[in-house]
Amino acid sequence: MDPLHTTQSGLPESEAAAEARRLLDEWAGKPVRQHPTSYRDDTAPPAFGTTPPVPQPDHRIVPAWAAGIAVASIGVGAGSVGLGCCAWLVLQGLASVSLAGVLMVTLPFAGLAMAATAIGGAISKARAAVTKNVYEGPVTHHTEIHNNSTTRGAFFARTRNDIH
């Protein structure tokens, strides 16, 4: 017999109702326990007293990496401001430059580049050795390849090829 799926109870209807009423009255008669969730002290604090103030030290701990990142970000910010000011000054100066002025400034660099190219070309020509190899007789080319292939592993397979 399954007590959860029965259609008939063991008590008659009037006795079951009386037992249910008795259980409900017993439950309702018990006091409900109240748990306070907060407490407020409404007494006014004294204006002065003999107790000295309680020290409340500040113990905020900052990790070394966070302090390092903060200092680095300040340095990067200051550096970018400096680079921005430098770029502004350079662009202000370039705004008032004429073509003749630009050519006069770049002329020494162009001359140095031309001289370096000429010197490099002369050195490379001097170092180039003239060799002439003359081979007489039959030339044969013989190639023999032995390939040993081994594979290890299943998921991250590794194939090794030994060519002799």
Side-chain angles (χ1 to χ4, degrees):
M1 179 173 184
D2 187 9
L4 296 177
H5 296 88
T6 58
T7 56
Q8 231 178 19
S9 66
L11 294 175
E13 187 73 27
S14 62
E15 288 181 21
E19 181 67 18
R21 175 58 49 202
R22 185 189 65 77
L23 289 174
L24 285 173
D25 290 339
E26 180 183 326
W27 174 78
K30 290 182 181 177
V32 178
R33 289 187 285 165
Q34 297 290 330
H35 299 287
T37 57
S38 64
Y39 173 75
R40 183 180 190 104
D41 188 6
D42 291 327
T43 59
F48 63 91
T50 58
T51 305
V54 177
Q56 297 177 355
D58 187 13
H59 291 293
R60 285 182 266 181
I61 298 172
V62 177
W65 62 267
I69 289 176
V71 170
S73 64
I74 291 171
V76 168
S80 64
V81 168
L83 289 175
C85 290
C86 180
W88 181 78
L89 288 172
V90 167
L91 293 176
Q92 286 288 48
L94 289 177
S96 62
V97 172
S98 65
L99 178 61
V102 171
L103 291 177
M104 288 299 152
V105 169
T106 58
L107 187 61
F109 297 114
L112 283 174
M114 188 171 62
T117 304
I119 291 170
I123 291 173
S124 69
K125 291 277 186 178
R127 290 182 68 199
V130 177
T131 59
K132 187 172 183 183
N133 296 325
V134 177
Y135 297 103
E136 294 180 8
V139 176
T140 60
H141 184 75
H142 179 69
T143 303
E144 188 173 334
I145 298 175
H146 298 283
N147 185 6
N148 295 328
S149 180
T150 57
T151 303
R152 288 187 179 180
F155 190 66
F156 291 105
R158 187 170 136 184
T159 302
R160 179 178 175 143
N161 293 318
D162 293 323
I163 300 176
H164 299 285

